[in-house]
Amino acid sequence: MRPLTAHIDLDALRHNYRQARRYAPDARAMAVLKANAYGHGSLACAHALADRASAMAVACLEEGQALRNSGIQCPIVLLEGFFELGELDTVITDGYWSVLHTRWQVEALLDRLERWPQHRVTVLVKCDSGMHRLGFAPEEVGEICRLLRSHPGVEQTLLMTHFATADTPDSPLLTSQLDTITTLQRQLDLPGCFANSPATLSVPASRHDWVRPGVMLYGVNPLEPDHALHGEIDQALKPVMTLESRIIAVRELAAGEPIGYGARHVTRHPTRVGVVACGYGDGYDRHAREGTPILVDGQRAAIAGRVSMDMLTVDITGIPDADIGSRVTLWGRDVSGAVLNVSEVAQWCDTIAYTLLTGILPRVPRQYHQVGAPDALSDDPLPDAGATGTPS
Ligand SMILES: Cc1ncc(COP(=O)(O)O)c(C=O)c1O
């Protein structure tokens, strides 16, 4: 078999969820599992969290149905709501929690609820507090919420917003978004759901009734490196995905020899090059620059030459024991315990960890690891798995 595998540590995922609860102890946490759980495999991740997550959040009904059909029972939130009328009957009758961000969604939902008098729904009204992506203008939110709360088919209304700069220390935009949404929440007296990962970890005033951690669950530190809490969060989170492969060939090159497509790298001195079974056809970023870090048998080495579709090349001159069969960690935790952070690799690719993780293609087999069986962990002191919130 081709040696490339994405190892998924489900104990680390559970640990990271627990960290979200530890940082926001008075809030319930909906685990964001959209985009195939940020590339980690949504079903395995959902089931690993099923005994503790108060809710799970996905991007669309199809992602939600995949979880429901696999036996997930906690509330499932559709972060962009429904996209067309054809989804509404399922949203209502199967009890999905829908975000509402436009008037047509509100009108369509209230209209369709007439067909289903025996069903009551939970909705999240999204306020655009300043990010200017989805949501109602703050001055519209009161009217929308009153409309929904007065309808007998609406059981619970949450107030929601999303922050644009929660990862950045002292962001004026974050302060302004927080002011806007907390003022609204006070006026409307609704449960609030505002905080993504960086806000969950570093902005206590954003936590309220629900938090929505995503990338932190997968062990990625969501704070900018100059954030005062960055070091603490690095210690608190554990990487979930380890992308691992092997060296499949070794070249001994003299000085002045090119490596790979475009001859981007030309050796300056005699160089040993390892060829690794992993490329952009697997989702590894082709933008990886010369010097992008990589672990070979747990030791740091550097990419030399362009990433090609199924392979990449690494300078192993400084690791004389490395040879065909040597273990290569593209990111994550090597079996020796050495860690190469996906965020560090992302910087070398001029991107962010989110794109690297979500970019790993189905061609790469995921292998799931879970040492702590759910039963062994069921003495977890966190109280509220499966809680459904307080009706408004
Ligand atoms: C609406 C919404 N909530 C929460 C999240 C989770 O954000 P993060 O992964 O930064 O925690 C996202 C992610 O994009 C989102 O779009």
Side-chain angles (χ1 to χ4, degrees):
M1 268 179 69
R2 192 162 175 257
L4 180 63
T5 303
H7 295 276
I8 309 296
D9 180 348
L10 296 173
D11 293 316
L13 177 76
R14 291 160 65 84
H15 166 87
N16 296 334
Y17 181 85
R18 196 189 303 232
Q19 294 300 319
R21 292 296 325 283
R22 191 164 75 79
Y23 276 85
D26 299 324
R28 297 188 178 99
M30 56 180 72
V32 180
L33 298 175
K34 62 183 176 153
N36 199 26
Y38 290 45
H40 294 68
S42 62
L43 299 191
C45 291
H47 283 275
L49 295 175
D51 66 340
R52 60 190 59 203
S54 303
M56 298 180 185
V58 294
C60 57
L61 184 59
E62 297 91 311
E63 291 183 352
Q65 285 179 306
L67 299 190
R68 220 14 127 236
N69 293 340
S70 77
I72 293 297
Q73 289 176 351
C74 69
I76 296 177
V77 178
L78 311 178
L79 287 172
E80 289 157 46
F82 47 91
F83 297 85
E84 50 182 57
L85 296 177
E87 298 169 59
L88 261 172
D89 291 332
T90 308
V91 169
I92 294 170
T93 58
D94 289 353
Y96 290 97
W97 290 17
S98 182
V99 168
L100 301 174
H101 59 84
T102 63
R103 253 171 213 277
W104 84 261
Q105 287 178 320
V106 175
E107 287 161 9
L109 176 69
L110 294 182
D111 184 52
R112 190 62 64 95
L113 278 168
E114 305 299 325
R115 262 197 216 171
W116 301 103
Q118 70 279 35
H119 287 278
R120 301 186 76 213
V121 293
T122 289
V123 292
L124 296 90
V125 174
K126 186 154 187 182
C127 171
D128 173 11
S129 56
M131 182 168 173
H132 303 325
R133 194 175 62 175
L134 293 183
F136 295 99
E139 51 281 10
E140 292 177 286
V141 170
E143 178 215 333
I144 297 288
C145 289
R146 273 186 288 281
L147 201 62
L148 289 160
R149 292 170 94 179
S150 62
H151 195 287
V154 179
E155 182 183 9
Q156 185 181 201
T157 304
L158 310 181
L159 182 62
M160 177 190 173
T161 199
H162 196 49
F163 298 122
T165 57
D167 54 346
T168 314
D170 307 320
S171 156
L173 177 55
L174 177 64
T175 307
S176 148
Q177 286 198 265
L178 258 178
D179 280 353
T180 302
I181 201 67
T182 43
T183 305
L184 253 183
Q185 192 197 19
R186 226 174 291 123
Q187 287 165 0
L188 299 172
D189 191 25
L190 288 172
C193 175
F194 309 144
N196 54 0
S197 295
T200 299
L201 292 168
S202 70
V203 188
S206 73
R207 289 169 189 151
H208 293 266
D209 304 85
W210 286 88
V211 292
R212 291 194 311 277
V215 80
M216 67 165 289
L217 300 180
Y218 308 102
V220 174
N221 186 339
L223 302 177
E224 289 286 324
D226 60 342
H227 196 291
L229 288 178
H230 189 270
E232 175 185 321
I233 300 306
D234 258 355
Q235 297 302 313
L237 301 178
K238 296 183 181 176
V240 175
M241 182 191 291
T242 295
L243 187 62
E244 189 185 277
S245 190
R246 299 261 170 197
I247 290 181
I248 59 168
V250 173
R251 289 276 166 282
E252 310 269 358
L253 300 178
E257 292 294 327
I259 302 174
Y261 284 119
R264 182 178 77 176
H265 186 103
V266 177
T267 54
R268 292 212 190 112
H269 36 71
T271 302
R272 281 184 89 223
V273 176
V275 181
V276 179
C278 178
Y280 65 77
D282 302 298
Y284 192 91
D285 198 327
R286 185 176 173 277
H287 298 101
R289 292 197 305 264
E290 285 302 308
T292 299
I294 198 163
L295 301 179
V296 177
D297 286 335
Q299 299 175 64
R300 284 176 83 99
I303 283 184
R306 269 197 194 136
V307 174
S308 48
M309 188 183 290
D310 312 308
M311 288 169 276
L312 55 80
T313 36
V314 55
D315 184 340
I316 52 170
T317 314
I319 311 176
D321 289 342
D323 210 334
I324 291 177
S326 282
R327 204 177 50 252
V328 173
T329 303
L330 287 311
W331 60 68
R333 186 186 297 275
D334 178 79
V335 292
S336 69
V339 172
L340 175 58
N341 219 301
V342 63
S343 298
E344 186 183 347
V345 177
Q347 277 178 4
W348 284 85
C349 303
D350 294 322
T351 188
I352 54 175
Y354 296 69
T355 61
L356 295 190
L357 294 173
T358 56
I360 293 303
L361 294 167
R363 179 195 203 198
V364 180
R366 270 70 170 170
Q367 210 176 92
Y368 294 96
H369 305 268
Q370 188 164 16
V371 176
D375 280 345
L377 296 168
S378 65
D379 60 347
D380 192 321
L382 304 174
D384 71 348
T388 55
T390 317
S392 63

